[in-house]
């Protein structure tokens, strides 16, 4: 990937909008209206140009700014051209730059997990037979880092993609259901079909063991707090709590 650091102004009619770039993180109506109003008042800030695939004039990042400028009837917009080796390279750039500035919703996670799996899939003829295939756990850990979520949630999302009906997947994509809820429905369907064995686990097990474990956990957290949180970031602590919530809800 080569970057041209100089901003250029280009006629908006020369820019192309196409999948998969426009579908990675769909433009939200509320965000679009907010940016449109700001742009109407203050103009298009060239500090935040539209990122364009050099030589193809395809918008890689900045679809909301593009839509707002078009709605306002702007003829020219600031762009930053970048050269990419191929579409996968451009899509990964688009994903990472947008991922870093937003909180991923469950529909984002499901859509982007499928996208990343597709991009990272290696054709059979290109596989190195001497290299061991990553395990499901290893792959989930890689995707978790890319998506900024726990491997446990990645595994749930993957099961929704693999075993969920079209209606279940669409309910997550539309924001109607969470990944946790969809996962529970998928597991129940698989359980009823006999694909997986055992009864649903809705509790936390023995109440006495739970109370004892919780007591030890809180006691240790108190000790760490009193010693100082020097080696534990707030982000890590909150991420760990999220993992505990996911474990309980599963």
């Amino acid at each position: 990937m080569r970057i041209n650091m100089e901003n250029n102004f280009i006629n908006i009619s020369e820019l192309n909008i196409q999948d998969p770039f426009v579908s990675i993180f769909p433009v939200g109506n509320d965000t679009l209206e907010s940016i449109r109003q700001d742009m109407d008042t203050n103009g298009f800030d060239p500090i935040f140009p539209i990122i364009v695939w050099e030589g193809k004039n395809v918008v890689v990042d900045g679809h909301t700014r593009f839509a707002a400028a078009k709605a306002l009837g702007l003829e020219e917009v600031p762009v930053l051209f970048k050269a990419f080796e191929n579409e996968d390279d451009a899509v990964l750039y688009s994903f990472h730059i947008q991922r870093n500035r937003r909180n991923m919703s469950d529909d984002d996670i499901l859509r982007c997990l499928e996208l990343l799996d597709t991009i990272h899939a290696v054709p059979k003829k290109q596989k190195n037979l001497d290299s061991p295939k990553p395990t499901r756990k290893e792959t989930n850990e890689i995707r978790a880092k890319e998506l900024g979520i726990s491997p446990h949630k990645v595994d749930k999302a993957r099961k929704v993609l693999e075993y969920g009906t079209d209606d279940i997947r669409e309910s997550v994509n539309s924001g109607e259901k969470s990944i946790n809820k969809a996962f529970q429905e998928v597991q129940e369907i698989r359980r009823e079909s006999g694909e997986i064995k055992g009864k649903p686990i809705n509790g936390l097990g023995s109440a006495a063991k739970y109370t004892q474990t919780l007591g030890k956990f809180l006691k240790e957290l108190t000790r760490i707090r009193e010693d100082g949180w020097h080696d534990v970031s707030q982000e890590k602590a909150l991420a760990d709590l999220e993992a505990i919530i996911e474990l309980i809800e599963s």
Side-chain angles (χ1 to χ4, degrees):
M1 178 179 67
R2 181 173 56 80
I3 302 174
N4 179 356
M5 296 305 295
E6 181 181 354
N7 281 1
N8 298 273
F9 280 81
I10 188 172
N11 193 298
I12 197 169
S13 63
E14 296 181 35
L15 297 177
N16 302 313
I17 301 296
Q18 65 183 49
D19 283 325
F21 305 101
V22 72
S23 302
I24 297 175
F25 293 101
V27 175
N29 292 331
D30 291 343
T31 303
L32 173 59
E33 179 57 20
S34 176
I35 291 179
R36 188 198 68 78
Q37 291 180 9
D38 180 75
M39 195 176 291
D40 189 27
T41 302
N42 303 306
F44 197 128
D45 190 343
I47 294 178
F48 302 103
I50 295 172
I51 308 300
V52 177
W53 190 344
E54 189 174 37
K56 295 181 179 291
N57 279 11
V58 172
V59 174
V60 173
D61 177 62
H63 292 88
T64 306
R65 298 191 293 282
F66 172 88
K70 195 168 185 179
L72 290 171
L74 300 186
E75 293 185 0
E76 291 190 333
V77 291
V79 300
L80 180 64
F81 289 107
K82 293 181 182 291
F84 300 95
E85 293 183 5
N86 49 51
E87 184 175 279
D88 285 351
D89 186 27
V91 169
L92 286 174
Y93 171 84
S94 178
F95 164 75
H96 286 295
I97 195 172
Q98 293 185 70
R99 162 69 188 90
N100 290 336
R101 62 175 181 243
R102 71 175 65 217
N103 293 320
M104 298 276 282
S105 62
D106 278 10
D107 58 303
D108 289 334
I109 291 170
L110 202 67
R111 184 174 55 255
C112 290
L113 174 60
E114 188 171 27
L115 175 69
L116 291 171
D117 279 348
T118 300
I119 290 177
H120 290 302
V122 181
K124 291 182 179 180
K125 62 181 180 180
Q126 295 182 15
K127 289 182 179 178
N128 185 345
L129 298 180
D130 295 329
S131 300
K133 180 181 178 180
T135 64
R136 186 184 184 94
K137 180 180 179 182
E138 290 171 340
T139 301
N140 285 346
E141 289 174 349
I142 293 171
R143 294 292 174 272
K145 290 180 180 179
E146 290 179 299
L147 295 167
I149 59 176
S150 69
H152 186 61
K153 189 160 188 174
V154 170
D155 193 58
K156 284 185 178 180
R158 193 181 298 287
K159 284 187 171 67
V160 171
L161 289 172
E162 292 175 346
Y163 302 108
T165 63
D166 291 342
D167 287 343
I168 290 177
R169 290 194 296 269
E170 179 55 33
S171 68
V172 178
N173 288 327
S174 65
E176 178 185 346
K177 291 178 183 175
S178 67
I179 287 175
N180 282 334
K181 179 65 176 175
F183 169 76
Q184 290 168 7
E185 291 185 6
V186 166
Q187 293 299 85
E188 187 58 32
I189 292 173
R190 297 177 68 201
R191 192 173 286 109
E192 290 178 355
S193 69
E195 184 179 352
I196 57 177
K197 306 297 181 182
K199 297 180 180 180
I201 299 175
N202 297 319
L204 290 166
S206 167
K209 288 183 178 179
Y210 168 68
T211 302
Q212 184 182 40
T213 301
L214 180 61
K216 290 180 179 179
F217 176 65
L218 293 176
K219 183 177 180 180
E220 187 63 19
L221 275 185
T222 301
R223 185 187 66 78
I224 294 173
R225 185 193 64 185
E226 291 174 349
D227 290 344
W229 296 87
H230 307 299
D231 299 324
V232 182
S233 67
Q234 185 181 46
E235 290 78 8
K236 174 170 174 49
L238 292 175
D240 290 340
L241 288 175
E242 181 185 352
I244 292 172
I245 292 172
E246 290 177 2
L247 177 63
I248 294 173
E249 291 180 343
S250 67

